Amino acid sequence: LVIVAVFALVGSACGSSTSSPSGSAGGNKTVTLGVDLPLSGAETPNGQPTLDGVQLAVDENPVPGYTVKVEAKDDALNGKHDPQTGATNIGQLVTDSSVFAVVGPFNSNVAQAEIPVSNSAGLIQCSPANTNPSLTKGADALALRKTNPTKIAYVRVATTDDIQGQAGADIAYTVAGAKTAYVVDDTETYGKGLADQFVTSFTALGGTIVGRDGVGASGQSDYTALLTAANAKKPQFVYFGGVTATGGGLLRKQMTQNGMGSIPFGGGDGISDGSAATASSFLNVAGPTGDMNTYMTVAAIHDIPNAAKFAADYKAAYGTEAGAYSASGYACAQIFLQALAKVGGNREAVRAYVMTTANVFPTVLGNVSFDANGDTSQHVISEYKFDPTTKDWKYFQQKDYTTGVTTTAAP
C-alpha cells in the first residue's frame, strides 16, 4: 500500500543510524527528519517498507530553501521492537537541534515510552501505524504528556483499535460466519488493547467468547497446551491480538499441527507484513497450511488517491511492492514537509502548525487533519484475506467508520 540513489541505511538496535540528504544543496538550510521504526530481525518486514515510504516522500516533495536529511533509527532489540530502545532513540533525536519532526514509532508500547520524551522537548512525532487508543485519549494519554499536557506533540495517520477491533469482530461474525471465538493476545499494549476491543465488539454482535489466553512469555515457542485447551471448547474462530514477532505466525502454524487448521483465524495490522515469500512475515512463518483461511485488517485506507502512481513510484525506487504502511509513512513525511514549507524548521512552529485542527493536509492517503487529541480524521479500516494463488494477502473491502460506507474490491 502503502530514492535517490543513496538512502538511509538502518542503524543497529542500539540506536546508531545513518542519514540521507534530499533536495538541492546550493544555499539551502539543512534540516533533519527523524525516523524511529523497528528495522531489524523479525520486524524488518514492517519497518523497512515504512521507512522507504518516508524516504520516497522526501525525495518526491522537495521544500524550496531546505535540504532535508532522513535520519533513521532502529527501535528493535534482538529482532523485536523494544520500548527502551525507542526511548533512547527519541532522546538522541531530541538533542539534535536540526531535527524538526519525527516519523514513528510503529508499535504502541514503543510510543508509550517515547511520547513523554518528545512531549517534554516539543518535538512532534507522526506515527504511521500506532493504533492503541490510550496514546491519545483519556487519563493514560494525559499521563504520557504530563510535561506539556496542552501542547500535544504526537499525531497519527492510522485510526485506532476501538475501530480496528470492530472490524475484526465484523469479519469473524459476518464474513466468516462464526458465532463463537477464542481470543489470544501477546499481553503488550497494542495486542491486548486490540483483543479487548475485539471481545467487546464480537459480543455486541451476538457472538460468544469461549476462552481467552495471553502469550506474553518471552521466547515462548510451544503453544500446544494452549491450543489443546482452546480446541476442547470448539471455537468457530480464533483471533490474535499482537504482531508476528510476538507469536502470531507461530500460533497459526501450530493450530494446523494440533488439528485446528480448518478454524478461521484473524488478526490486526500486526500480522500485515508481507507475502509468504517475505522472510519472517506472518504468512512465511505460518507456512503453506497455517496461512489458509486467515484474515487481517489494516488501520488505514486501501483505496488511496492515485494508487497506481504511488505503487509505480515505490516499485521504481525499491524494486518491490509497497508495504501495508509505506503510504502511511509517506503521508506522515508529507505533512511535516508541508509544515516546513509553511512555517520553517522551528520545532514549536512545526508542532503548532500540525496541531492546528483547522489545517487540512493533502497527502497520498487523501486529505488528513488531526483532532485536538492528535487523531486522524480518516477512520477507515481495510480488510484482507490470504490468497492461496498468489501466496499473499488479498484486499476484499474497506469500511469508513465515519460514514458507515463499505467499499468492496473490484471483481
Side-chain angles (χ1 to χ4, degrees):
L1 297 180
V2 301
I3 266 182
V4 292
V6 181
F7 66 95
L9 295 176
V10 176
S12 73
C14 295
S16 63
S17 65
T18 57
S19 59
S20 123
S22 179
S24 59
N28 284 356
K29 180 179 180 180
T30 298
V31 294
T32 302
L33 178 62
V35 179
D36 179 77
L37 296 167
L39 296 167
S40 58
E43 308 247 20
T44 306
N46 282 326
Q48 189 62 52
T50 308
L51 171 60
D52 291 342
V54 174
Q55 184 66 61
L56 187 63
V58 172
D59 295 339
E60 292 187 337
N61 298 273
V63 179
Y66 289 92
T67 296
V68 180
K69 296 193 307 177
V70 173
E71 182 170 354
K73 291 187 177 293
D74 181 6
D75 62 39
L77 179 65
N78 298 324
K80 179 178 176 291
H81 61 275
D82 177 65
Q84 185 53 55
T85 300
T88 299
N89 291 346
I90 201 73
Q92 293 171 350
L93 292 170
V94 160
T95 61
D96 182 349
S97 61
S98 74
V99 177
F100 71 99
V102 176
V103 177
F106 197 91
N107 302 92
S108 292
N109 65 345
V110 178
Q112 283 181 321
E114 292 186 352
I115 290 172
V117 181
S118 58
N119 174 261
S120 179
L123 177 62
I124 193 164
Q125 298 179 257
C126 175
S127 173
N130 291 162
T131 52
N132 187 272
S134 68
L135 299 176
T136 53
K137 303 171 185 177
D140 289 341
L142 282 172
L144 291 177
R145 58 176 191 265
K146 61 183 179 182
T147 304
N148 294 305
T150 62
K151 291 187 175 182
I152 294 175
Y154 170 88
V155 298
R156 52 182 161 191
V157 295
T159 196
T160 48
D161 285 334
D162 46 351
I163 297 175
Q164 185 170 205
Q166 290 182 55
D170 184 64
I171 289 174
Y173 193 86
T174 305
V175 179
K179 300 300 181 283
T180 61
Y182 202 96
V183 178
V184 182
D185 70 75
D186 64 3
T187 74
E188 292 193 358
T189 303
Y190 159 74
K192 183 180 182 304
L194 178 61
D196 288 345
Q197 295 295 334
F198 175 89
V199 169
T200 298
S201 298
F202 189 71
T203 303
L205 287 170
T208 300
I209 303 299
V210 296
R212 181 166 179 178
D213 274 299
V215 292
S218 178
Q220 184 174 351
S221 60
D222 187 353
Y223 302 112
T224 301
L226 181 155
L227 291 171
T228 299
N231 200 24
K233 297 185 178 182
K234 303 186 183 305
Q236 297 172 344
F237 197 90
V238 172
Y239 189 80
F240 176 70
V243 303
T244 301
T246 56
L250 196 57
L251 180 70
R252 183 53 169 162
K253 179 179 181 179
Q254 292 183 14
M255 280 180 62
T256 301
Q257 296 170 344
N258 285 274
M260 299 174 69
S262 63
I263 301 175
F265 181 94
D269 47 358
I271 64 171
S272 173
D273 47 14
S275 72
T278 303
S280 302
S281 70
F282 171 87
L283 295 177
N284 179 266
V285 175
T289 53
D291 50 21
M292 302 297 287
N293 206 13
T294 299
Y295 300 86
M296 69 88 178
T297 53
V298 170
I301 184 171
H302 173 274
D303 296 337
I304 65 174
N306 299 315
K309 180 182 185 304
F310 177 76
D313 289 351
Y314 187 97
K315 191 163 189 177
Y318 305 107
T320 188
E321 304 298 328
Y325 286 97
S326 297
S328 298
Y330 189 108
C332 279
Q334 276 184 302
I335 290 165
F336 288 149
L337 293 171
Q338 290 172 40
L340 177 66
K342 189 71 174 180
V343 300
N346 176 272
R347 286 181 183 178
E348 174 54 25
V350 170
R351 187 206 66 78
Y353 186 76
V354 172
M355 278 306 303
T356 299
T357 57
N359 287 340
V360 177
F361 300 93
T363 78
V364 69
L365 302 177
N367 288 337
V368 172
S369 60
F370 300 106
D371 66 16
N373 296 317
D375 283 324
T376 179
S377 56
Q378 292 188 338
H379 302 145
V380 180
I381 301 291
S382 302
E383 302 176 2
Y384 299 77
K385 185 178 181 182
F386 173 71
D387 182 351
T389 301
T390 63
K391 305 296 183 185
D392 202 351
W393 296 110
K394 183 176 182 180
Y395 164 74
F396 66 92
Q397 67 182 21
Q398 70 178 27
K399 185 171 182 178
D400 187 326
Y401 280 80
T402 297
T403 64
V405 173
T406 298
T407 305
T408 57

